[in-house]
Amino acid sequence: MAVTYVHGYDERESDRLQDQAGALVTLLHSDTAYPPNARVLEAGCGVGAQTITLARNSPHARFIAVDHSVPSLAAARRRVADAGLANVEFLQADIFHLPFPPNSFDHVFVCFVLEHLADPSHALLTLKRLLKPNGTITVIEGDHGSAYFHPDNDEARTAIRCLVDLQRAAGGNGLIGRQVYPLLVGAGFSDVTVSPRMVYVDSSKPDLVESFTKKTFTAMVEGVRQAAIAEGLAPPEKFDAGISALYRTAEADGVFCYTFFKGVGRNGA
Amino acid sequence: MAVTYVHGYDERESDRLQDQAGALVTLLHSDTAYPPNARVLEAGCGVGAQTITLARNSPHARFIAVDHSVPSLAAARRRVADAGLANVEFLQADIFHLPFPPNSFDHVFVCFVLEHLADPSHALLTLKRLLKPNGTITVIEGDHGSAYFHPDNDEARTAIRCLVDLQRAAGGNGLIGRQVYPLLVGAGFSDVTVSPRMVYVDSSKPDLVESFTKKTFTAMVEGVRQAAIAEGLAPPEKFDAGISALYRTAEADGVFCYTFFKGVGRNGA
């Protein structure tokens, strides 16, 4: 299955993912650790933004990080090597056609991947077959509909909707975070628990204003400017006003909120 | 100042506030406790939904609970007496004209009140004058723009917008939660910290589905049906479809999210 990655693959995007990983590591990953010798599949490792955290937090687990993009894999490989981590192998493959027999992994980890797939349920079923009995799957996804801010602003909401619409047109779902629970239950996982990871940013947290509000979220929306305008989803001046309004929320009296969802399920079958 | 309370004062509303208080006590109040003999003002105690929790969690502090509504005060007084609590006095007064000299209180507590005021900044300045130096103010507010759900639904969002619009027409602000930080800073409080309290509900938490999704949030929106239709904010069939869609989020594959904001500031002046 061909997958169009709505955010593109340029260098700025790579910076964005790196900033995001830096700011959110604790919030998203601090409660994920795998035991020694566990064999863990990271399905859709991208440029390795999460891979280094996973591998660091579970130094004695063995990770197989898979992505369909050759340049992303090269970046991930470099990043893991630069971090001095030796417990990750990389493999180029499609998430729907992974070259592993059933029961290959103790655990599976999937972060910011399902949002880009036309059939996330199918992906989860495919991954479930690769899990040993009682193995866990961990899924982390954002939800662009969880973004709200002060000052509130119509154009800002329009610009965000452009991103969601483009992602939908590419076969993805930018509002998937809220669906992690039903998706995991629907795929037959047991003992599913989902916890929201809300990023609340006001000016008492200048690092988060910079790394999240500006360099992660607003940069992500800004990244679809050309596509949004080309597709006629917003006139340029309206889109740009929306971006300005998002940057406005990074000022002293501004507030920005966004929520990620982390779900864990067990292969009880 | 006359204040129109958008939710009305009938018995169902009183039940709604009681359910809400029951489900949310830990989330909202577990980190609020006042030392022995502290003199604490609860400004806008309503029917006492928060008062009993406050008084229970700080049994040796002395509370003065104020509200402008005589029937609400009577209900609050009854509730506190039924709970066997003896550390609360009640007083009927307007939040903008409280009969206390400056520096009267060690701490002030305000919950679900600012959202109903046309000038919340003025209210905070008024309350600040009543605080002793280094006394704290605690503010808790919801934000109806923080509500999102699965399945997503246009009519449900319209029905919620009716509530926000009616609250605005009555001089209030149903999106005030995200503004707690700038409001407290703007009123001159020091060391302001705001933390979001997100209510995440899926069907693994049936009590919360019942008490929050259905009996708190959806009941609150449903409560403005007549007013919304009378004001022409939505045709009856669209409003009713929105309510049905909100109840739909309470089914097995549904998810409902809402966030409260709790802010604490210090009277450093």
mmCIF file of all heavy atoms in Angstrom, chain A residues 145-146 148-150 152 175 178-179 181-182 194 196 198 200 202-204 252-253 255 257 259 261, chain B residues 145-146 148-150 152 175 178-179 181-182 194 196 198 200 202-204 252-253 255 257 259 261:
data_model
loop_
_atom_site.group_PDB
_atom_site.id
_atom_site.type_symbol
_atom_site.label_atom_id
_atom_site.label_comp_id
_atom_site.label_asym_id
_atom_site.label_seq_id
_atom_site.Cartn_x
_atom_site.Cartn_y
_atom_site.Cartn_z
ATOM 1 N N GLY A 145 -7.564 17.749 16.442
ATOM 2 C CA GLY A 145 -8.793 18.347 16.945
ATOM 3 C C GLY A 145 -8.729 18.645 18.436
ATOM 4 O O GLY A 145 -9.631 19.267 18.989
ATOM 5 N N SER A 146 -7.653 18.219 19.069
ATOM 6 C CA SER A 146 -7.469 18.495 20.503
ATOM 7 C C SER A 146 -6.762 19.828 20.717
ATOM 8 O O SER A 146 -6.521 20.223 21.859
ATOM 9 C CB SER A 146 -6.642 17.378 21.150
ATOM 10 O OG SER A 146 -5.271 17.497 20.792
ATOM 11 N N TYR A 148 -6.474 23.644 21.068
ATOM 12 C CA TYR A 148 -7.214 24.896 21.282
ATOM 13 C C TYR A 148 -6.288 25.821 22.018
ATOM 14 O O TYR A 148 -5.240 25.418 22.526
ATOM 15 C CB TYR A 148 -8.546 24.662 21.985
ATOM 16 C CG TYR A 148 -8.481 23.891 23.263
ATOM 17 C CD1 TYR A 148 -8.401 24.545 24.495
ATOM 18 C CD2 TYR A 148 -8.508 22.502 23.260
ATOM 19 C CE1 TYR A 148 -8.337 23.843 25.678
ATOM 20 C CE2 TYR A 148 -8.451 21.784 24.436
ATOM 21 C CZ TYR A 148 -8.359 22.465 25.642
ATOM 22 O OH TYR A 148 -8.304 21.759 26.817
ATOM 23 N N PHE A 149 -6.657 27.100 22.041
ATOM 24 C CA PHE A 149 -5.651 28.097 22.411
ATOM 25 C C PHE A 149 -6.317 29.409 22.786
ATOM 26 O O PHE A 149 -7.507 29.631 22.519
ATOM 27 C CB PHE A 149 -4.675 28.310 21.235
ATOM 28 C CG PHE A 149 -5.325 28.112 19.888
ATOM 29 C CD1 PHE A 149 -6.045 29.133 19.290
ATOM 30 C CD2 PHE A 149 -5.254 26.872 19.247
ATOM 31 C CE1 PHE A 149 -6.669 28.940 18.072
ATOM 32 C CE2 PHE A 149 -5.883 26.672 18.018
ATOM 33 C CZ PHE A 149 -6.582 27.707 17.426
ATOM 34 N N HIS A 150 -5.502 30.258 23.389
ATOM 35 C CA HIS A 150 -5.916 31.624 23.693
ATOM 36 C C HIS A 150 -4.833 32.575 23.192
ATOM 37 O O HIS A 150 -3.647 32.326 23.469
ATOM 38 C CB HIS A 150 -6.112 31.808 25.203
ATOM 39 C CG HIS A 150 -6.390 33.223 25.581
ATOM 40 N ND1 HIS A 150 -7.598 33.840 25.312
ATOM 41 C CD2 HIS A 150 -5.593 34.174 26.145
ATOM 42 C CE1 HIS A 150 -7.538 35.094 25.739
ATOM 43 N NE2 HIS A 150 -6.349 35.313 26.248
ATOM 44 N N ASP A 152 -8.334 32.688 21.145
ATOM 45 C CA ASP A 152 -8.993 31.842 20.168
ATOM 46 C C ASP A 152 -9.053 32.614 18.847
ATOM 47 O O ASP A 152 -9.058 33.846 18.847
ATOM 48 C CB ASP A 152 -10.409 31.504 20.655
ATOM 49 C CG ASP A 152 -11.027 30.334 19.894
ATOM 50 O OD1 ASP A 152 -10.312 29.667 19.122
ATOM 51 O OD2 ASP A 152 -12.231 30.097 20.067
ATOM 52 N N LEU A 175 -7.301 13.110 13.324
ATOM 53 C CA LEU A 175 -8.091 13.112 14.564
ATOM 54 C C LEU A 175 -8.092 11.722 15.199
ATOM 55 O O LEU A 175 -9.025 11.344 15.911
ATOM 56 C CB LEU A 175 -9.538 13.543 14.270
ATOM 57 C CG LEU A 175 -9.734 14.841 13.470
ATOM 58 C CD1 LEU A 175 -11.227 15.101 13.252
ATOM 59 C CD2 LEU A 175 -9.101 16.029 14.193
ATOM 60 N N ARG A 178 -8.164 10.278 19.544
ATOM 61 C CA ARG A 178 -9.350 9.936 20.343
ATOM 62 C C ARG A 178 -9.885 8.546 20.009
ATOM 63 O O ARG A 178 -10.778 8.052 20.695
ATOM 64 C CB ARG A 178 -10.428 11.006 20.120
ATOM 65 C CG ARG A 178 -11.055 10.984 18.753
ATOM 66 C CD ARG A 178 -11.916 12.202 18.459
ATOM 67 N NE ARG A 178 -11.103 13.392 18.205
ATOM 68 C CZ ARG A 178 -11.596 14.561 17.818
ATOM 69 N NH1 ARG A 178 -12.912 14.710 17.690
ATOM 70 N NH2 ARG A 178 -10.810 15.600 17.575
ATOM 71 N N GLN A 179 -9.386 7.943 18.933
ATOM 72 C CA GLN A 179 -9.901 6.635 18.510
ATOM 73 C C GLN A 179 -8.983 5.477 18.898
ATOM 74 O O GLN A 179 -9.235 4.340 18.513
ATOM 75 C CB GLN A 179 -10.090 6.612 16.991
ATOM 76 C CG GLN A 179 -11.158 7.559 16.508
ATOM 77 C CD GLN A 179 -11.459 7.383 15.022
ATOM 78 O OE1 GLN A 179 -11.525 6.272 14.523
ATOM 79 N NE2 GLN A 179 -11.645 8.483 14.326
ATOM 80 N N TYR A 181 -8.517 3.963 21.670
ATOM 81 C CA TYR A 181 -9.202 2.926 22.457
ATOM 82 C C TYR A 181 -10.072 2.016 21.580
ATOM 83 O O TYR A 181 -9.854 0.804 21.551
ATOM 84 C CB TYR A 181 -10.011 3.552 23.607
ATOM 85 C CG TYR A 181 -10.726 2.526 24.444
ATOM 86 C CD1 TYR A 181 -10.076 1.845 25.459
ATOM 87 C CD2 TYR A 181 -12.061 2.208 24.196
ATOM 88 C CE1 TYR A 181 -10.723 0.879 26.215
ATOM 89 C CE2 TYR A 181 -12.720 1.243 24.942
ATOM 90 C CZ TYR A 181 -12.052 0.583 25.956
ATOM 91 O OH TYR A 181 -12.696 -0.375 26.691
ATOM 92 N N PRO A 182 -11.047 2.587 20.837
ATOM 93 C CA PRO A 182 -11.861 1.680 20.011
ATOM 94 C C PRO A 182 -11.055 0.922 18.957
ATOM 95 O O PRO A 182 -11.391 -0.220 18.630
ATOM 96 C CB PRO A 182 -12.912 2.599 19.367
ATOM 97 C CG PRO A 182 -12.462 3.992 19.606
ATOM 98 C CD PRO A 182 -11.583 3.965 20.819
ATOM 99 N N VAL A 194 -6.076 3.376 27.750
ATOM 100 C CA VAL A 194 -5.626 4.557 27.016
ATOM 101 C C VAL A 194 -5.503 5.698 27.994
ATOM 102 O O VAL A 194 -6.380 5.908 28.839
ATOM 103 C CB VAL A 194 -6.611 4.926 25.886
ATOM 104 C CG1 VAL A 194 -6.265 6.277 25.276
ATOM 105 C CG2 VAL A 194 -6.602 3.839 24.809
ATOM 106 N N PRO A 196 -4.573 9.924 28.158
ATOM 107 C CA PRO A 196 -4.243 11.130 27.407
ATOM 108 C C PRO A 196 -2.967 11.748 27.953
ATOM 109 O O PRO A 196 -2.691 11.634 29.153
ATOM 110 C CB PRO A 196 -5.444 12.038 27.669
ATOM 111 C CG PRO A 196 -5.950 11.616 29.006
ATOM 112 C CD PRO A 196 -5.657 10.149 29.122
ATOM 113 N N MET A 198 -1.640 15.322 27.858
ATOM 114 C CA MET A 198 -1.944 16.681 27.423
ATOM 115 C C MET A 198 -0.727 17.583 27.577
ATOM 116 O O MET A 198 -0.078 17.604 28.615
ATOM 117 C CB MET A 198 -3.101 17.225 28.253
ATOM 118 C CG MET A 198 -3.524 18.615 27.814
ATOM 119 S SD MET A 198 -5.067 19.085 28.627
ATOM 120 C CE MET A 198 -5.165 20.804 28.130
ATOM 121 N N TYR A 200 0.111 21.250 27.963
ATOM 122 C CA TYR A 200 -0.466 22.554 28.288
ATOM 123 C C TYR A 200 0.674 23.568 28.323
ATOM 124 O O TYR A 200 1.647 23.380 29.064
ATOM 125 C CB TYR A 200 -1.171 22.504 29.648
ATOM 126 C CG TYR A 200 -1.491 23.884 30.170
ATOM 127 C CD1 TYR A 200 -2.605 24.577 29.693
ATOM 128 C CD2 TYR A 200 -0.666 24.515 31.092
ATOM 129 C CE1 TYR A 200 -2.881 25.863 30.132
ATOM 130 C CE2 TYR A 200 -0.935 25.794 31.540
ATOM 131 C CZ TYR A 200 -2.042 26.461 31.054
ATOM 132 O OH TYR A 200 -2.317 27.732 31.480
ATOM 133 N N ASP A 202 1.771 27.577 28.726
ATOM 134 C CA ASP A 202 1.607 29.020 28.911
ATOM 135 C C ASP A 202 3.004 29.610 29.083
ATOM 136 O O ASP A 202 4.001 28.882 29.071
ATOM 137 C CB ASP A 202 0.660 29.358 30.076
ATOM 138 C CG ASP A 202 1.160 28.850 31.419
ATOM 139 O OD1 ASP A 202 2.389 28.870 31.667
ATOM 140 O OD2 ASP A 202 0.327 28.437 32.246
ATOM 141 N N SER A 203 3.079 30.930 29.236
ATOM 142 C CA SER A 203 4.389 31.580 29.163
ATOM 143 C C SER A 203 5.246 31.346 30.403
ATOM 144 O O SER A 203 6.398 31.769 30.451
ATOM 145 C CB SER A 203 4.238 33.075 28.887
ATOM 146 O OG SER A 203 3.451 33.687 29.882
ATOM 147 N N SER A 204 4.706 30.637 31.402
ATOM 148 C CA SER A 204 5.568 30.232 32.518
ATOM 149 C C SER A 204 6.493 29.092 32.102
ATOM 150 O O SER A 204 7.373 28.701 32.869
ATOM 151 C CB SER A 204 4.713 29.811 33.724
ATOM 152 O OG SER A 204 4.038 28.604 33.483
ATOM 153 N N ALA A 252 3.183 36.364 25.722
ATOM 154 C CA ALA A 252 3.151 36.275 27.191
ATOM 155 C C ALA A 252 1.776 35.889 27.752
ATOM 156 O O ALA A 252 1.695 35.173 28.742
ATOM 157 C CB ALA A 252 3.617 37.595 27.806
ATOM 158 N N ASP A 253 0.708 36.379 27.137
ATOM 159 C CA ASP A 253 -0.632 36.082 27.663
ATOM 160 C C ASP A 253 -1.300 34.939 26.898
ATOM 161 O O ASP A 253 -2.495 34.697 27.065
ATOM 162 C CB ASP A 253 -1.512 37.327 27.608
ATOM 163 C CG ASP A 253 -1.746 37.786 26.167
ATOM 164 O OD1 ASP A 253 -1.004 37.323 25.264
ATOM 165 O OD2 ASP A 253 -2.657 38.603 25.942
ATOM 166 N N VAL A 255 -1.954 30.952 25.485
ATOM 167 C CA VAL A 255 -2.024 29.585 26.018
ATOM 168 C C VAL A 255 -2.266 28.638 24.855
ATOM 169 O O VAL A 255 -3.023 28.957 23.925
ATOM 170 C CB VAL A 255 -3.156 29.452 27.066
ATOM 171 C CG1 VAL A 255 -3.382 27.989 27.461
ATOM 172 C CG2 VAL A 255 -2.844 30.284 28.309
ATOM 173 N N CYS A 257 -2.939 24.367 23.928
ATOM 174 C CA CYS A 257 -3.233 23.027 24.451
ATOM 175 C C CYS A 257 -3.296 22.014 23.316
ATOM 176 O O CYS A 257 -3.865 22.297 22.259
ATOM 177 C CB CYS A 257 -4.596 23.022 25.154
ATOM 178 S SG CYS A 257 -4.722 24.172 26.525
ATOM 179 N N THR A 259 -3.310 17.417 22.843
ATOM 180 C CA THR A 259 -3.286 16.148 23.567
ATOM 181 C C THR A 259 -2.892 14.972 22.665
ATOM 182 O O THR A 259 -3.419 14.834 21.558
ATOM 183 C CB THR A 259 -4.647 15.874 24.242
ATOM 184 O OG1 THR A 259 -4.915 16.936 25.164
ATOM 185 C CG2 THR A 259 -4.633 14.563 25.017
ATOM 186 N N PHE A 261 -2.477 10.679 22.697
ATOM 187 C CA PHE A 261 -3.131 9.548 23.371
ATOM 188 C C PHE A 261 -2.223 8.338 23.274
ATOM 189 O O PHE A 261 -1.726 8.013 22.198
ATOM 190 C CB PHE A 261 -4.481 9.256 22.706
ATOM 191 C CG PHE A 261 -5.484 10.351 22.936
ATOM 192 C CD1 PHE A 261 -5.481 11.493 22.144
ATOM 193 C CD2 PHE A 261 -6.409 10.276 23.963
ATOM 194 C CE1 PHE A 261 -6.390 12.521 22.367
ATOM 195 C CE2 PHE A 261 -7.316 11.297 24.193
ATOM 196 C CZ PHE A 261 -7.307 12.428 23.394
ATOM 197 N N GLY B 145 -14.868 24.487 24.927
ATOM 198 C CA GLY B 145 -14.147 24.269 23.673
ATOM 199 C C GLY B 145 -13.132 23.142 23.783
ATOM 200 O O GLY B 145 -12.522 22.758 22.789
ATOM 201 N N SER B 146 -12.957 22.620 24.978
ATOM 202 C CA SER B 146 -12.031 21.505 25.171
ATOM 203 C C SER B 146 -12.734 20.168 24.968
ATOM 204 O O SER B 146 -12.107 19.119 25.094
ATOM 205 C CB SER B 146 -11.449 21.553 26.589
ATOM 206 O OG SER B 146 -12.416 21.116 27.540
ATOM 207 N N TYR B 148 -14.142 17.213 22.958
ATOM 208 C CA TYR B 148 -14.160 16.535 21.663
ATOM 209 C C TYR B 148 -14.386 15.070 21.939
ATOM 210 O O TYR B 148 -14.294 14.626 23.098
ATOM 211 C CB TYR B 148 -12.881 16.810 20.849
ATOM 212 C CG TYR B 148 -11.594 16.545 21.567
ATOM 213 C CD1 TYR B 148 -10.930 15.324 21.428
ATOM 214 C CD2 TYR B 148 -11.023 17.498 22.390
ATOM 215 C CE1 TYR B 148 -9.732 15.077 22.074
ATOM 216 C CE2 TYR B 148 -9.834 17.263 23.054
ATOM 217 C CZ TYR B 148 -9.201 16.050 22.894
ATOM 218 O OH TYR B 148 -8.018 15.817 23.554
ATOM 219 N N PHE B 149 -14.729 14.326 20.897
ATOM 220 C CA PHE B 149 -15.311 13.014 21.145
ATOM 221 C C PHE B 149 -15.262 12.159 19.893
ATOM 222 O O PHE B 149 -15.017 12.635 18.781
ATOM 223 C CB PHE B 149 -16.768 13.182 21.613
ATOM 224 C CG PHE B 149 -17.448 14.381 21.012
ATOM 225 C CD1 PHE B 149 -17.988 14.334 19.745
ATOM 226 C CD2 PHE B 149 -17.487 15.603 21.706
ATOM 227 C CE1 PHE B 149 -18.582 15.459 19.188
ATOM 228 C CE2 PHE B 149 -18.067 16.737 21.136
ATOM 229 C CZ PHE B 149 -18.622 16.655 19.878
ATOM 230 N N HIS B 150 -15.489 10.875 20.123
ATOM 231 C CA HIS B 150 -15.607 9.928 19.028
ATOM 232 C C HIS B 150 -16.889 9.139 19.240
ATOM 233 O O HIS B 150 -17.108 8.651 20.349
ATOM 234 C CB HIS B 150 -14.408 8.976 18.985
ATOM 235 C CG HIS B 150 -14.561 7.889 17.972
ATOM 236 N ND1 HIS B 150 -14.461 8.116 16.623
ATOM 237 C CD2 HIS B 150 -14.863 6.568 18.114
ATOM 238 C CE1 HIS B 150 -14.661 6.978 15.970
ATOM 239 N NE2 HIS B 150 -14.917 6.034 16.848
ATOM 240 N N ASP B 152 -16.911 11.723 16.105
ATOM 241 C CA ASP B 152 -17.034 13.164 15.936
ATOM 242 C C ASP B 152 -18.359 13.458 15.223
ATOM 243 O O ASP B 152 -18.874 12.602 14.495
ATOM 244 C CB ASP B 152 -15.857 13.672 15.095
ATOM 245 C CG ASP B 152 -15.694 15.186 15.196
ATOM 246 O OD1 ASP B 152 -16.348 15.820 16.060
ATOM 247 O OD2 ASP B 152 -14.916 15.742 14.408
ATOM 248 N N LEU B 175 -15.559 29.443 27.437
ATOM 249 C CA LEU B 175 -14.216 29.018 27.017
ATOM 250 C C LEU B 175 -13.156 29.595 27.942
ATOM 251 O O LEU B 175 -12.005 29.788 27.556
ATOM 252 C CB LEU B 175 -13.949 29.484 25.574
ATOM 253 C CG LEU B 175 -15.002 29.160 24.518
ATOM 254 C CD1 LEU B 175 -14.588 29.716 23.152
ATOM 255 C CD2 LEU B 175 -15.239 27.660 24.411
ATOM 256 N N ARG B 178 -9.089 28.008 29.403
ATOM 257 C CA ARG B 178 -7.771 28.259 28.789
ATOM 258 C C ARG B 178 -7.231 29.636 29.147
ATOM 259 O O ARG B 178 -6.081 29.939 28.850
ATOM 260 C CB ARG B 178 -7.887 28.111 27.273
ATOM 261 C CG ARG B 178 -8.687 29.193 26.605
ATOM 262 C CD ARG B 178 -9.006 28.889 25.152
ATOM 263 N NE ARG B 178 -10.054 27.884 25.035
ATOM 264 C CZ ARG B 178 -10.604 27.514 23.870
ATOM 265 N NH1 ARG B 178 -10.145 28.030 22.732
ATOM 266 N NH2 ARG B 178 -11.569 26.631 23.846
ATOM 267 N N GLN B 179 -8.069 30.496 29.754
ATOM 268 C CA GLN B 179 -7.634 31.849 30.078
ATOM 269 C C GLN B 179 -7.281 32.035 31.548
ATOM 270 O O GLN B 179 -6.996 33.150 31.988
ATOM 271 C CB GLN B 179 -8.725 32.858 29.704
ATOM 272 C CG GLN B 179 -8.982 32.933 28.218
ATOM 273 C CD GLN B 179 -9.911 34.081 27.860
ATOM 274 O OE1 GLN B 179 -9.809 35.177 28.393
ATOM 275 N NE2 GLN B 179 -10.836 33.814 26.957
ATOM 276 N N TYR B 181 -4.693 31.223 33.250
ATOM 277 C CA TYR B 181 -3.330 31.755 33.456
ATOM 278 C C TYR B 181 -3.254 33.261 33.173
ATOM 279 O O TYR B 181 -2.859 34.030 34.060
ATOM 280 C CB TYR B 181 -2.312 30.969 32.617
ATOM 281 C CG TYR B 181 -0.900 31.468 32.791
ATOM 282 C CD1 TYR B 181 -0.114 31.059 33.867
ATOM 283 C CD2 TYR B 181 -0.348 32.382 31.891
ATOM 284 C CE1 TYR B 181 1.175 31.529 34.041
ATOM 285 C CE2 TYR B 181 0.948 32.860 32.055
ATOM 286 C CZ TYR B 181 1.705 32.436 33.136
ATOM 287 O OH TYR B 181 2.976 32.914 33.311
ATOM 288 N N PRO B 182 -3.604 33.722 31.969
ATOM 289 C CA PRO B 182 -3.504 35.175 31.737
ATOM 290 C C PRO B 182 -4.405 35.996 32.664
ATOM 291 O O PRO B 182 -4.041 37.116 33.030
ATOM 292 C CB PRO B 182 -3.886 35.350 30.258
ATOM 293 C CG PRO B 182 -4.492 34.058 29.813
ATOM 294 C CD PRO B 182 -3.946 33.005 30.709
ATOM 295 N N VAL B 194 -0.796 26.987 36.443
ATOM 296 C CA VAL B 194 -2.070 26.433 35.985
ATOM 297 C C VAL B 194 -1.821 25.007 35.537
ATOM 298 O O VAL B 194 -0.836 24.720 34.842
ATOM 299 C CB VAL B 194 -2.646 27.261 34.821
ATOM 300 C CG1 VAL B 194 -3.850 26.560 34.192
ATOM 301 C CG2 VAL B 194 -3.045 28.657 35.308
ATOM 302 N N PRO B 196 -3.862 21.627 33.762
ATOM 303 C CA PRO B 196 -5.097 21.112 33.180
ATOM 304 C C PRO B 196 -5.516 19.842 33.900
ATOM 305 O O PRO B 196 -4.661 19.078 34.368
ATOM 306 C CB PRO B 196 -4.702 20.821 31.734
ATOM 307 C CG PRO B 196 -3.235 20.522 31.792
ATOM 308 C CD PRO B 196 -2.679 21.347 32.923
ATOM 309 N N MET B 198 -7.670 16.902 32.776
ATOM 310 C CA MET B 198 -8.423 16.344 31.659
ATOM 311 C C MET B 198 -9.235 15.132 32.095
ATOM 312 O O MET B 198 -8.729 14.228 32.747
ATOM 313 C CB MET B 198 -7.464 15.940 30.546
ATOM 314 C CG MET B 198 -8.173 15.414 29.317
ATOM 315 S SD MET B 198 -7.003 15.272 27.952
ATOM 316 C CE MET B 198 -8.045 14.400 26.770
ATOM 317 N N TYR B 200 -10.821 12.024 30.619
ATOM 318 C CA TYR B 200 -10.827 11.165 29.436
ATOM 319 C C TYR B 200 -11.751 9.988 29.731
ATOM 320 O O TYR B 200 -11.553 9.277 30.723
ATOM 321 C CB TYR B 200 -9.400 10.683 29.119
ATOM 322 C CG TYR B 200 -9.409 9.557 28.116
ATOM 323 C CD1 TYR B 200 -9.566 9.821 26.761
ATOM 324 C CD2 TYR B 200 -9.305 8.236 28.528
ATOM 325 C CE1 TYR B 200 -9.610 8.788 25.835
ATOM 326 C CE2 TYR B 200 -9.349 7.188 27.614
ATOM 327 C CZ TYR B 200 -9.500 7.477 26.267
ATOM 328 O OH TYR B 200 -9.553 6.465 25.357
ATOM 329 N N ASP B 202 -13.560 6.548 28.249
ATOM 330 C CA ASP B 202 -13.937 5.508 27.286
ATOM 331 C C ASP B 202 -14.691 4.422 28.047
ATOM 332 O O ASP B 202 -14.860 4.530 29.274
ATOM 333 C CB ASP B 202 -12.712 4.976 26.516
ATOM 334 C CG ASP B 202 -11.668 4.317 27.414
ATOM 335 O OD1 ASP B 202 -12.063 3.654 28.405
ATOM 336 O OD2 ASP B 202 -10.464 4.457 27.137
ATOM 337 N N SER B 203 -15.138 3.392 27.340
ATOM 338 C CA SER B 203 -16.070 2.455 27.975
ATOM 339 C C SER B 203 -15.396 1.524 28.975
ATOM 340 O O SER B 203 -16.082 0.735 29.633
ATOM 341 C CB SER B 203 -16.834 1.652 26.921
ATOM 342 O OG SER B 203 -15.932 0.957 26.083
ATOM 343 N N SER B 204 -14.068 1.648 29.136
ATOM 344 C CA SER B 204 -13.434 0.898 30.224
ATOM 345 C C SER B 204 -13.733 1.543 31.578
ATOM 346 O O SER B 204 -13.388 0.991 32.610
ATOM 347 C CB SER B 204 -11.919 0.802 30.004
ATOM 348 O OG SER B 204 -11.308 2.071 30.147
ATOM 349 N N ALA B 252 -20.176 1.720 23.623
ATOM 350 C CA ALA B 252 -18.973 0.912 23.884
ATOM 351 C C ALA B 252 -17.743 1.396 23.121
ATOM 352 O O ALA B 252 -16.626 1.339 23.635
ATOM 353 C CB ALA B 252 -19.257 -0.553 23.550
ATOM 354 N N ASP B 253 -17.922 1.878 21.890
ATOM 355 C CA ASP B 253 -16.768 2.315 21.099
ATOM 356 C C ASP B 253 -16.592 3.834 21.141
ATOM 357 O O ASP B 253 -15.804 4.394 20.373
ATOM 358 C CB ASP B 253 -16.902 1.842 19.650
ATOM 359 C CG ASP B 253 -18.113 2.481 18.971
ATOM 360 O OD1 ASP B 253 -18.967 3.057 19.695
ATOM 361 O OD2 ASP B 253 -18.208 2.428 17.739
ATOM 362 N N VAL B 255 -15.758 7.699 22.808
ATOM 363 C CA VAL B 255 -14.750 8.348 23.657
ATOM 364 C C VAL B 255 -15.170 9.791 23.853
ATOM 365 O O VAL B 255 -15.674 10.444 22.921
ATOM 366 C CB VAL B 255 -13.347 8.276 23.003
ATOM 367 C CG1 VAL B 255 -12.349 9.137 23.762
ATOM 368 C CG2 VAL B 255 -12.852 6.830 22.927
ATOM 369 N N CYS B 257 -13.827 13.553 25.742
ATOM 370 C CA CYS B 257 -12.737 14.287 26.389
ATOM 371 C C CYS B 257 -13.196 15.686 26.781
ATOM 372 O O CYS B 257 -13.885 16.359 26.009
ATOM 373 C CB CYS B 257 -11.559 14.435 25.425
ATOM 374 S SG CYS B 257 -10.872 12.876 24.843
ATOM 375 N N THR B 259 -11.669 19.145 29.447
ATOM 376 C CA THR B 259 -10.605 19.567 30.347
ATOM 377 C C THR B 259 -11.010 20.753 31.214
ATOM 378 O O THR B 259 -11.573 21.741 30.730
ATOM 379 C CB THR B 259 -9.333 19.905 29.533
ATOM 380 O OG1 THR B 259 -8.922 18.734 28.821
ATOM 381 C CG2 THR B 259 -8.200 20.350 30.442
ATOM 382 N N PHE B 261 -9.415 23.513 34.111
ATOM 383 C CA PHE B 261 -8.134 24.164 34.380
ATOM 384 C C PHE B 261 -8.136 24.678 35.808
ATOM 385 O O PHE B 261 -9.074 25.353 36.231
ATOM 386 C CB PHE B 261 -7.918 25.319 33.393
ATOM 387 C CG PHE B 261 -7.724 24.837 31.980
ATOM 388 C CD1 PHE B 261 -8.812 24.516 31.174
ATOM 389 C CD2 PHE B 261 -6.454 24.655 31.462
ATOM 390 C CE1 PHE B 261 -8.639 24.040 29.882
ATOM 391 C CE2 PHE B 261 -6.262 24.184 30.180
ATOM 392 C CZ PHE B 261 -7.352 23.879 29.381
#
